[in-house]
Amino acid sequence: MRGLKKFRQRVRPEWIDYNGHLSEAYYVLVFGFATDAVMEQIGLDETYRTETGCSLYTVEAHVRYLREVPPESDLVVTTRIVGGGAKKLRLCHEMVVDGVLVATEEILALHVDSARGRSASFPDKVAARIAELAEEPPEYAGRAIG
């Protein structure tokens, strides 16, 4: 299996703000769901988390809100693994509505052993999957706010 599956989510009515569009917090919620979908695809699924007590913790994120998202939109999130290491994973999410890029999120996540309260190396199988899926980062990745 090559590549990550796209994540799809329909905008819920309660996610619409007083301006009539998707509220900013819900962009991040949907990106969080997309991160969960990546975890499933690289071997950090629910069984793994239950058996090991390890999971990904997001430690840094940068969101760009590019377009307003109207009610009842169908969101499609494409994710790229753009970096990694023994204990870390860097993802870039791109959210699209009707073929138009509406938001991006870049995150840095650490693989954490919750019982020990500190980062832990990925299992070899997960590390290999991350390496297999790694891509070049998009042009916006790594930018500072400004």
Side-chain angles (χ1 to χ4, degrees), residues 60-64 104-108 140 142-146:
E60 188 172 342
H62 182 182
V63 180
R64 295 185 316 146
T104 66
E105 182 186 50
E106 180 180 4
I107 70 163
L108 176 63
Y140 60 82
R143 286 187 181 174
I145 295 174

Side-chain angles (χ1 to χ4, degrees), residues 45-89:
D45 58 11
E46 184 178 356
T47 300
Y48 171 82
R49 294 188 305 269
T50 300
E51 290 177 356
T52 66
C54 295
S55 186
L56 282 183
Y57 287 28
T58 300
V59 295
E60 188 172 342
H62 182 182
V63 180
R64 295 185 316 146
Y65 302 95
L66 305 172
R67 302 279 185 276
E68 297 167 348
V69 175
E72 300 182 16
S73 293
D74 290 314
L75 308 172
V76 179
V77 179
T78 302
T79 302
R80 298 183 224 190
I81 294 175
V82 298
K87 303 175 181 182
K88 66 183 178 180
L89 181 66

